[in-house]
Amino acid sequence: MKKLFPVLLLVYSIPALAQTSLKNTVSKKADSLETQIVAWRRDFHEHPELGNHEFRTAGVIAKYLQSLGLEVKTGVATTGVVGILRGGHPGPVIALRSDMDALPITERTDVPFKSTVKTTYMGQEVGVMHACGHDSHMAMLMATAQILASIKSELHGTVKFIFQPAEEGLPPGEKGGAEEMVKEGVLENPKVDVIFGQHIQSYQPVGTIAYRPGGDMAAVNDLQIIVKGRGSHGAYPWSAVDPIVTSAQIINNLQTIVSRNLHITDNPGVVTIGAINGGNRGNVIPESITMLGTVRTFSAADEKLFIERIKQIATKTAEANGAVAEVNIPYSTHYPVTYNNPELVAEMLPTLQTTAGIDHIILRQAETGAEDFSFYEQKVPGIFIHLGGLPKGADPATAPAHHTPNFFIDESGFPLGVKALCDLTLDYMSAHSK
C-alpha cells in the first residue's frame, strides 16, 4: 500500500486540478465579457418594462438563449423565459434565477442610458425605471449562460436559467412572479435540486458578496384598511363620524405592535402605512378613508401575531370612534421569508470565499426588504446572495436607495456576479454528480 499511495494521491488529485482549471477558464471568460454585460444592462435600463409587461425584455433574452443552443420556453407566468442547458455528463439540476421587471418610478439619474419610458399604472401616468437592479441581474445571468454553454461538454449536470417577471409585485387582481412560476412547474421537468440567485445592492461596496444563512429577507404582507364614518361639513364636525381622525389614531396605535407586542430580541418587524386617500376639500369631512401599507416579519409566528393585532387595533379603534374599519391583509401581495438553507450555505461558502476572496465576503444582517425568491426556496434548497454595487470610496449612508429616482450602481462588479453564479454551479455539480 505504501508504494500505491503516491499513485492513489495522483488519481484523486486529477479531478481537483481539472475543476481548478475549469474555474480559471470561467474567470477569464467573465472578465472578457464585462463590456458585453454592461451593454446588455444599459439596453435593459433604457427600455424598462413593468411586471407582466416585459415583452421586449423577454424577447431579447429568449433570442439570445436560443442562439446559445439552449432549450427555451417562453410565456411562463405571462412573460417569463426559461432556458435549459444539459451538460455532457449526468448530474444534479441547478436553477439560476434573475428577475426582469422595472418599477413605476420616473428616473432622475444623469446617465446616457437614462429611461424616458412612461406608461399608465393603476390609472396614473408614471415613469418606468429599473430602480432596483433587475437590469443588471438579467445581464449577468445572460453572461453566465454564455459561459456555461461554452463549456457544456464538461458540465456534470443540467442548468436551468429562470428569467422571472413581476418580482416587484402587481396591482390587485393580477397574478405573477415567482409564485406563479412555481405553480406552472418551473422547478420540474427536469426537477430542480437546488437554486441560486443574487441581488445587487447600491449601499454595499463593489467587489464584495454578502450572505446570510437562515432568514435573510423578510416576509411581506401588504394591507388595505378602509375606515368608514359619516361625512359632514367641516364646520360642523359634531355631525360627523370623522374617518380622518379615526385613521390617524389607527396609524399611531399600529406602531405599538412593534414596540409592545414583538419580541424584538428574537426578530425585527415593521408596520408601515404608506398611502392615505380620502376627501377632496378642506371644509368637507369625507365618508371614508383608505389606507395602504406593508408588514415585514421574519417568522410564521410573528406574521400571525402582526395580522391578528392589525385587525384588532383597526377594528376596535374605529369602533371606539363610532366608525367601522375593514381590514384586508394580505391585500394583493404576500411573500414568505427568504430563507437560505443553512446546510447549503455552509457547503457553498468556501466557493464564495474563493471566488471573491475571503476578505470580500460579508455576513450580513437580516433585511426587512422582501424577495419572492422565497417561493423557490420553499420548494428546494436555495441561496440568495448580495453583490456589491457601491462605488469605491462612496459612503453607504448617502448612497441612493433602491426604489428611488436616483438609484445608481457601479457596473464594475458585474464580472464578480457572473463568476459567483458559475462557480456555485460548477462546485455544486462537482460535489453532487455521481
Side-chain angles (χ1 to χ4, degrees):
M1 287 300 294
K2 289 182 179 180
K3 294 181 179 180
L4 289 175
F5 181 76
V7 177
L8 288 172
L9 182 62
L10 178 61
V11 169
Y12 284 120
S13 298
I14 290 174
L17 291 172
Q19 183 77 352
T20 300
S21 175
L22 192 59
K23 290 172 70 174
N24 287 338
T25 298
V26 164
S27 181
K28 292 176 182 177
K29 287 178 179 287
D31 288 333
S32 70
L33 285 174
E34 181 174 0
T35 301
Q36 178 63 72
I37 301 168
V38 170
W40 279 327
R41 182 260 168 160
R42 293 185 178 186
D43 177 67
F44 289 135
H45 191 91
E46 194 171 358
H47 302 93
E49 296 171 300
L50 296 180
N52 281 356
H53 294 272
E54 306 95 336
F55 300 109
R56 177 190 182 274
T57 304
V60 171
I61 292 169
K63 183 177 180 181
Y64 187 71
L65 295 183
Q66 288 165 348
S67 75
L68 297 176
L70 274 62
E71 304 168 27
V72 178
K73 184 177 181 180
T74 59
V76 184
T78 307
T79 52
V81 179
V82 179
I84 298 175
L85 175 64
R86 301 183 190 274
H89 308 276
V93 178
I94 300 167
L96 304 175
R97 175 270 203 169
S98 167
D99 33 23
M100 300 163 61
D101 54 325
L103 287 155
I105 293 174
T106 300
E107 183 164 10
R108 282 203 301 256
T109 60
D110 185 20
V111 293
F113 50 94
K114 175 180 178 179
S115 169
T116 57
V117 174
K118 294 186 180 300
T119 191
T120 301
Y121 179 75
M122 295 185 70
Q124 297 183 1
E125 184 178 352
V126 296
V128 184
M129 177 189 177
H130 272 294
C132 200
H134 297 188
D135 48 354
S136 59
H137 303 165
M138 291 183 284
M140 288 186 284
L141 190 55
M142 289 170 69
T144 302
Q146 177 176 330
I147 292 171
L148 293 179
S150 72
I151 56 173
K152 172 182 176 179
S153 63
E154 299 179 71
L155 296 182
H156 289 257
T158 297
V159 187
K160 186 176 284 190
F161 300 92
I162 299 174
F163 291 86
Q164 174 212 305
E167 188 280 327
E168 298 290 0
L170 293 164
E174 289 191 38
K175 296 180 179 180
E179 186 174 20
E180 284 301 304
M181 296 283 276
V182 171
K183 287 180 180 178
E184 293 190 16
V186 74
L187 299 178
E188 307 296 331
N189 301 318
K191 184 175 177 59
V192 170
D193 294 298
V194 68
I195 186 166
F196 300 120
Q198 67 178 346
H199 203 300
I200 199 159
Q201 301 291 359
S202 66
Y203 54 83
Q204 179 184 320
V206 68
T208 64
I209 292 174
Y211 75 99
R212 183 175 182 80
D216 179 27
M217 301 183 75
V220 58
N221 283 278
D222 67 346
L223 66 92
Q224 179 197 58
I225 302 175
I226 302 173
V227 179
K228 300 176 182 179
R230 185 172 65 247
S232 80
H233 194 296
Y236 315 112
W238 51 85
S239 299
V241 174
D242 193 335
I244 294 178
V245 171
T246 302
S247 296
Q249 293 175 2
I250 290 173
I251 293 169
N252 284 333
N253 292 341
L254 289 176
Q255 304 314 306
T256 64
I257 299 174
V258 174
S259 66
R260 289 298 177 267
N261 301 137
L262 179 66
H263 199 312
I264 58 173
T265 59
D266 290 340
N267 288 310
V270 171
V271 179
T272 292
I273 298 298
I276 307 175
N277 298 289
N280 53 24
R281 286 182 61 89
N283 63 349
V284 177
I285 295 175
E287 292 184 344
S288 67
I289 293 291
T290 299
M291 296 181 279
L292 299 175
T294 188
V295 179
R296 308 297 168 110
T297 53
F298 281 90
S299 73
D302 287 345
E303 184 176 46
K304 182 174 182 291
L305 167 69
F306 274 47
I307 291 173
E308 289 176 350
R309 288 292 289 138
I310 288 168
K311 290 180 177 179
Q312 185 181 45
I313 288 171
T315 57
K316 296 302 182 181
T317 303
E319 182 181 343
N321 286 352
V324 174
E326 176 186 319
V327 181
N328 298 302
I329 179 172
Y331 175 49
S332 64
T333 301
H334 170 252
Y335 297 170
V337 175
T338 304
Y339 186 85
N340 295 324
N341 182 278
E343 291 77 18
L344 183 61
V345 172
E347 178 184 348
M348 305 311 301
L349 181 56
T351 296
L352 297 176
Q353 291 171 336
T354 300
T355 301
I358 195 166
D359 293 335
H360 295 90
I361 298 297
I362 301 168
L363 174 60
R364 68 188 229 119
Q365 297 295 313
E367 182 179 328
T368 50
E371 243 291 343
D372 74 351
F373 188 80
S374 54
F375 285 105
Y376 304 116
E377 291 184 313
Q378 283 190 322
K379 302 295 182 181
V380 298
I383 299 177
F384 196 65
I385 60 173
H386 302 265
L387 182 70
L390 176 72
K392 292 181 179 178
D395 183 0
T398 59
H402 291 242
H403 291 215
T404 66
N406 295 319
F407 176 75
F408 178 83
I409 53 172
D410 186 332
E411 298 170 326
S412 67
F414 292 172
L416 176 60
V418 174
K419 294 174 189 178
L421 292 178
C422 288
D423 289 354
L424 286 169
T425 300
L426 292 174
D427 282 356
Y428 189 86
M429 284 183 172
S430 177
H432 294 270
S433 59
K434 295 179 181 179

